[in-house]
Amino acid sequence: MSEQRNFPDWQELYRTTPNESLPWYHAGLDPDIERALQRWQVAKGRALDLGTGPATQAFALAERGFDVTGTDLSHAAIERAVAQAAQAQAQGKPAVRFLQDDVLDSRLDERFDVVFDRGCFHCLPPVRRADYARTVERLVAPGGLFFLKCFSTRQPGEQGPYKFSPGDIRAIFGERFEVLSIDESVYQGTLPELPRALFCVLRPR
């Protein structure tokens, strides 16, 4: 769990790679998020997409009636998402707000009914995980939910994002969050073999 990983230069990646070529690109709303919204009866409210990347999840939630903000560390990802949002709005689709922001040094001072992370947390340095949990706790509104999707320890190999077990999730977040559910899943994307994932639903204590 403590070994250091090498990750892409996110700015360069989003500057040079089409969204549709990214391994984690999934055009529709992630099925795990869809099921969680239904299970916990969340049909509207303010939603925050942490590490929005290709922004597909942000747009999909806006189409379902949520007031959506998407953030990403990469300026290039945000510039691309802002252009997509302008084009979508010109076609009469719901507005989505995109902001460049670093979750480990976040400038957001708002709270959201749903915060979700489909690929940011498992790329963060292990020593900053407590900082991440503290920030997310601040961003989730009272009674709100945090949806976290991350690589599972069931994913073979040593490459890619850090991997987590259900016990790891409880150890990292349990002081600040009630863990409502942790399910084994997969990452929908462009890879021929879908990576193994955990999908977690948490609520601030």
Side-chain angles (χ1 to χ4, degrees), residues 7-28:
F7 293 104
D9 179 320
W10 304 113
Q11 174 71 6
E12 183 67 12
L13 179 72
Y14 281 104
R15 190 181 67 81
T16 59
T17 308
N19 282 343
E20 294 80 3
S21 299
L22 296 167
W24 49 87
Y25 177 82
H26 179 65

Side-chain angles (χ1 to χ4, degrees), residues 16-177:
T16 59
T17 308
N19 282 343
E20 294 80 3
S21 299
L22 296 167
W24 49 87
Y25 177 82
H26 179 65
L29 186 61
D30 187 299
D32 289 313
I33 297 175
E34 185 92 71
R35 283 191 290 269
L37 292 173
Q38 293 173 358
R39 178 179 179 184
W40 299 101
Q41 299 181 328
V42 183
K44 61 181 180 178
R46 305 189 71 217
L48 173 63
D49 180 9
L50 288 173
T52 191
T56 54
Q57 304 306 296
F59 287 121
L61 275 183
E63 290 282 353
R64 284 160 174 76
F66 287 85
D67 176 6
V68 183
T69 297
T71 63
D72 203 282
L73 181 66
S74 167
H75 289 278
I78 293 301
E79 288 166 6
R80 186 181 290 179
V82 166
Q84 289 178 273
Q87 185 177 26
Q89 218 174 337
Q91 297 170 353
K93 296 181 179 179
V96 181
R97 180 178 65 150
F98 291 103
L99 302 170
Q100 192 278 334
D101 192 61
D102 180 353
V103 69
L104 295 178
D105 187 25
S106 180
R107 294 166 292 147
L108 292 175
D109 59 359
E110 309 160 55
R111 306 190 91 174
F112 300 85
D113 303 295
V114 174
V115 174
F116 68 97
D117 176 346
R118 190 175 174 264
C120 175
F121 169 70
H122 62 196
C123 294
L124 298 178
V127 295
R128 301 302 304 275
R129 289 171 186 162
D131 298 330
Y132 173 92
R134 188 179 305 112
T135 297
V136 174
E137 180 190 32
R138 175 173 64 80
L139 293 172
V140 181
L145 294 172
F146 173 40
F147 300 156
L148 174 65
K149 194 162 189 174
C150 58
F151 262 41
S152 167
T153 50
R154 294 189 182 185
Q155 172 65 16
E158 298 302 320
Q159 302 304 310
Y162 294 101
K163 304 177 181 73
F164 299 87
S165 69
D168 295 330
I169 297 299
R170 293 188 177 93
I172 294 165
F173 293 97
E175 181 181 342
R176 299 178 180 277
F177 291 86

